[in-house]
C-alpha cells in the first residue's frame, strides 16, 4: 500500500509539473493585444541570421537628414509647422503609404481658434489590425528663444520615418500592418492642463472610438524625448509590461550576439513613472500602450539647446535598432 501511495503521489506531482511548464510556456510565448486584452499574439522569435540582417539595414544619413528637416521652429500655425507637416506627408507618400490628414479646428488659449492636422499613415489601409507607432510633430512656442525641439519630438518622428524607409522591403501586406501617426498640438499654448494639451491625440482617439477603429489597434507604441546620450526606458505601464519586457530581451539578445557594442543597455525592466503624453486619450479607452519616454528627461528639455547638433546619434540608432527588431 505505501508503494501504491508513493506511485500515485509521483503521478500527481508529474502532472502538476507538466501543467506548470505548459502554463509558463504559454505565458512566455503569448502576449495579449487589442482593447481590453481580447486577443493573444505570439511574437516571432528572430534567429541570429535574421537579427544580423535587420541590423545591417540601417541608414544613418537618412536618420540625420530627417532630424534636420523636422527639428525646426514648428509651433502650430507657423510656416515651419506647415513645412514639417508637408515633409512628413510627401515622404511617406513616396514610399507608397496611404496617408490621410485628420483636420479639425479648436479654440485654444492665447490664439483663439486654431486648425490642427493629425497625420495618419498606413502601410496597408485594408488591414484588419495594426501595430501603431505615434509621436507629436509640433513644437512648443517660447517667446524668449527659438525652440527647435529635437528630442521633443523631432527625433522620434525621424526614427519612425527612418523605420519606414529601412524596412520598406520587409513589410508584407497582411491582416496585421503598421500604422504611423504624427499627432498635432501635443504641446500646451499656455500652462499644461487637461484642456490645454494633447489636442491632436484627444481628437483622434475620440473620432476613432466613434467609428470603431480603436478595436483595430493591437498595440500603440509612443516614443518621446529621445536623442540625448543618457536616455533610459523603464516599464511605466503595468498592463503592457510583457511587451516592454520583449524590448528588454531584444536589446539583450543584440548585446549577446555582439551586434550592439555600446556601453550600456537603454531598456531596463524596472518600475518607472508615467507622465502625461499623447497616449492618455488611448489608454483611457483601453488601447494597450507602450509609453517609450526617457525616464530621465534630457538636460536640454524645453531649452534653446535642444537642437539637431546636440543629438547623440549612436544612442538614437540603438533605440531605432531595437524598435526595428520589435516590429
Amino acid at each position: 500500500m505505501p508503494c501504491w501511495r508513493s506511485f500515485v503521489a509521483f503521478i500527481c506531482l508529474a502532472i502538476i509539473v507538466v501543467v506548470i511548464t505548459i502554463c509558463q510556456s504559454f505565458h512566455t510565448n503569448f502576449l495579449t493585444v487589442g482593447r481590453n486584452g481580447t486577443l493573444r499574439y505570439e511574437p516571432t522569435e528572430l534567429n541570429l541570421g535574421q537579427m544580423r540582417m535587420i541590423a545591417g539595414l540601417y541608414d544613418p544619413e537618412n536618420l540625420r537628414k530627417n532630424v534636420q528637416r523636422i527639428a525646426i521652429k514648428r509651433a502650430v500655425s507657423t510656416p515651419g509647422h506647415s513645412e514639417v507637416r508637408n515633409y512628413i506627408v510627401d515622404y511617406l507618400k513616396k514610399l507608397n503609404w496611404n496617408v490621410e490628414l485628420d483636420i479639425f479646428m479648436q479654440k485654444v488659449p492665447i490664439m483663439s481658434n486654431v486648425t490642427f492636422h493629425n497625420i495618419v499613415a498606413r502601410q496597408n489601409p485594408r488591414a484588419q489590425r495594426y501595430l501603431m507607432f505615434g509621436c507629436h510633430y509640433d513644437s512648443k512656442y517660447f517667446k524668449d528663444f527659438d525652440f527647435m525641439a529635437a528630442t521633443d519630438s523631432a527625433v522620434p518622428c525621424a526614427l519612425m520615418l527612418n523605420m519606414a524607409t529601412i524596412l520598406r522591403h520587409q513589410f508584407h501586406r497582411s491582416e496585421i500592418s503598421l500604422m504611423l501617426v504624427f499627432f498635432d498640438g501635443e504641446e500646451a499654448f499656455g500652462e499644461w492642463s487637461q484642456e490645454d494639451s494633447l489636442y491632436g491625440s484627444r481628437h483622434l482617439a475620440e473620432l476613432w472610438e466613434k467609428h470603431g477603429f480603436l478595436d483595430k489597434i493591437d498595440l500603440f507604441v509612443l516614443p518621446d524625448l529621445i536623442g540625448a546620450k543618457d536616455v533610459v526606458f523603464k516599464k511605466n505601464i503595468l498592463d503592457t509590461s510583457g511587451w516592454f519586457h520583449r524590448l528588454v530581451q531584444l536589446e539583450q539578445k543584440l548585446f549577446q550576439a555582439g551586434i550592439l557594442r555600446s556601453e550600456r543597455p537603454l531598456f531596463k525592466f524596472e518600475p518607472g513613472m508615467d507622465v502625461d503624453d499623447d497616449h492618455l486619450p488611448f489608454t483611457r479607452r483601453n488601447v494597450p500602450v507602450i509609453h517609450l519616454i526617457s525616464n530621465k528627461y534630457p538636460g536640454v528639455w524645453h531649452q534653446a539647446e535642444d537642437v539637431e547638433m546636440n543629438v547623440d546619434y549612436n544612442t538614437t540608432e540603438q533605440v531605432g535598432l531595437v524598435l526595428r527588431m520589435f516590429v
Side-chain angles (χ1 to χ4, degrees):
M1 184 66 72
C3 293
W4 172 250
R5 288 178 178 175
S6 298
F7 177 75
V8 171
F10 174 79
I11 293 298
C12 291
L13 179 61
I15 292 174
I16 292 173
V17 170
V18 170
V19 170
I20 291 175
T21 302
I22 293 175
C23 290
Q24 287 178 337
S25 174
F26 183 82
H27 176 75
T28 300
N29 295 331
F30 289 87
L31 294 169
T32 58
V33 295
R35 295 178 75 187
N36 302 307
T38 52
L39 299 172
R40 294 188 182 277
Y41 182 77
E42 184 176 10
T44 301
E45 295 300 329
L46 301 176
N47 59 42
L48 181 59
Q50 291 171 320
M51 292 173 65
R52 292 191 183 281
M53 183 272 294
I54 295 175
L57 297 174
Y58 77 106
D59 191 340
E61 292 305 316
N62 172 270
L63 177 61
R64 186 182 295 270
K65 176 186 175 183
N66 287 333
V67 175
Q68 291 171 343
R69 292 295 301 269
I70 299 173
I72 63 175
K73 289 169 54 180
R74 56 191 188 281
V76 178
S77 295
T78 64
H81 181 260
S82 300
E83 179 182 337
V84 169
R85 178 176 68 249
N86 292 334
Y87 176 74
I88 294 172
V89 170
D90 293 342
Y91 188 100
L92 289 167
K93 283 185 175 180
K94 289 178 181 177
L95 293 176
N96 295 319
W97 283 57
N98 177 271
V99 183
E100 298 177 349
L101 292 178
D102 167 40
I103 305 174
F104 64 99
M105 182 177 291
Q106 189 167 338
K107 186 176 181 179
V108 304
I110 304 174
M111 299 179 64
S112 188
N113 288 327
V114 170
T115 301
F116 296 94
H117 304 73
N118 289 320
I119 305 169
V120 180
R122 288 176 285 175
Q123 190 266 339
N124 176 13
R126 292 179 293 278
Q128 296 302 308
R129 295 159 57 188
Y130 290 97
L131 168 60
M132 170 178 160
F133 277 78
C135 65
H136 73 92
Y137 72 94
D138 63 305
S139 65
K140 187 172 179 60
Y141 170 75
F142 291 95
K143 65 178 181 179
D144 298 327
F145 61 90
D146 293 336
F147 184 48
M148 306 302 179
T151 64
D152 188 19
S153 275
V155 169
C157 290
L159 279 171
M160 286 164 52
L161 295 180
N162 187 247
M163 179 190 299
T165 300
I166 292 175
L167 299 180
R168 62 188 180 279
H169 299 305
Q170 309 303 315
F171 292 139
H172 301 287
R173 291 179 174 265
S174 62
E175 178 184 332
I176 304 176
S177 187
L178 189 63
M179 177 166 60
L180 306 180
V181 177
F182 301 83
F183 295 109
D184 198 2
E186 186 265 359
E187 298 286 6
F189 290 84
E191 292 296 323
W192 184 282
S193 67
Q194 290 187 356
E195 294 74 27
D196 185 18
S197 65
L198 312 181
Y199 291 94
S201 55
R202 284 191 285 128
H203 181 269
L204 196 59
E206 181 179 357
L207 179 67
W208 281 354
E209 183 177 41
K210 290 179 180 178
H211 292 280
F213 188 77
L214 292 181
D215 293 326
K216 291 189 174 184
I217 302 174
D218 279 5
L219 183 67
F220 171 19
V221 181
L222 177 67
D224 199 0
L225 299 185
I226 298 173
K229 186 175 183 178
D230 56 355
V231 64
V232 61
F233 305 107
K234 298 184 179 182
K235 58 181 178 73
N236 46 29
I237 299 179
L238 183 61
D239 291 345
T240 53
S241 59
W243 283 107
F244 182 81
H245 188 242
R246 178 163 173 76
L247 289 168
V248 175
Q249 290 178 317
L250 286 170
E251 187 181 47
Q252 290 174 345
K253 289 181 179 179
L254 288 168
F255 275 114
Q256 293 167 359
I259 297 173
L260 274 180
R261 296 184 175 87
S262 65
E263 298 177 356
R264 64 183 182 88
L266 307 180
F267 298 82
K268 297 184 178 182
F269 198 67
E270 302 172 0
M273 182 68 69
D274 198 28
V275 296
D276 290 359
D277 208 343
D278 280 315
H279 65 300
L280 288 184
F282 291 86
T283 56
R284 289 167 180 161
R285 291 170 171 82
N286 298 317
V287 174
V289 172
I290 296 178
H291 189 200
L292 206 60
I293 188 170
S294 179
N295 190 69
K296 181 179 181 180
Y297 274 32
V300 295
W301 182 68
H302 284 186
Q303 302 294 324
E305 292 76 21
D306 192 7
V307 295
E308 185 273 333
M309 67 178 296
N310 289 331
V311 171
D312 186 285
Y313 282 99
N314 290 330
T315 302
T316 300
E317 172 54 31
Q318 184 172 337
V319 177
L321 176 56
V322 174
L323 292 181
R324 293 198 297 274
M325 296 288 176
F326 183 82
V327 171

